[in-house]
Amino acid sequence: MKADAEAAKAKLLQLAEAKKAELEERVAEWTAKHDKQKLEKRAERAEAYAVTSVEIALAAAMEAEEAILEAAATRMDADQGLQALEPAGLSAGKGETSVETGATP
């Protein structure tokens, strides 16, 4: 299973490198032919990708902030609930009756 995953990863890297080389050849060709329209469209797509990536990152950061605030509020609720369950002014172990003697320590 691990070997299959490693082989797939190696193939993916190989395909990515081939695609990168192909793109570099096309860009060089566009530059040599002074094909401004193709170069401009490529730049616009790269810029749109960058903007979208930033938007996704900001959304993830906002979601993380909400999760942090929700976790803090949940912890405060739990602490208050636990505090309400404790006998007033008694800490663990105090006020318990010994089963053997029936006496309070």
Side-chain angles (χ1 to χ4, degrees), residues 45-59:
R45 283 192 306 270
E47 291 165 348
Y49 180 83
V51 167
T52 303
S53 294
V54 168
E55 289 171 346
I56 290 169
L58 288 173

Side-chain angles (χ1 to χ4, degrees), residues 1-10:
M1 188 74 154
K2 186 175 180 181
D4 290 341
E6 289 177 12
K9 183 178 177 181

Side-chain angles (χ1 to χ4, degrees), residues 25-78:
E25 287 176 26
R26 277 193 276 169
V27 170
E29 180 182 324
W30 297 339
T31 302
K33 291 181 178 180
H34 303 287
D35 194 339
K36 294 177 185 178
Q37 187 177 14
K38 287 184 181 178
L39 292 167
E40 185 66 29
K41 285 289 185 185
R42 179 175 180 261
E44 289 172 0
R45 283 192 306 270
E47 291 165 348
Y49 180 83
V51 167
T52 303
S53 294
V54 168
E55 289 171 346
I56 290 169
L58 288 173
M62 289 172 34
E63 187 175 341
E65 182 179 14
E66 286 178 25
I68 290 167
L69 294 173
E70 185 176 332
T74 302
R75 170 54 55 200
M76 289 171 54
D77 289 345

Side-chain angles (χ1 to χ4, degrees), residues 1-19:
M1 188 74 154
K2 186 175 180 181
D4 290 341
E6 289 177 12
K9 183 178 177 181
K11 183 170 180 138
L12 184 62
L13 289 173
Q14 181 183 17
L15 291 170
E17 286 297 320
K19 185 172 176 82

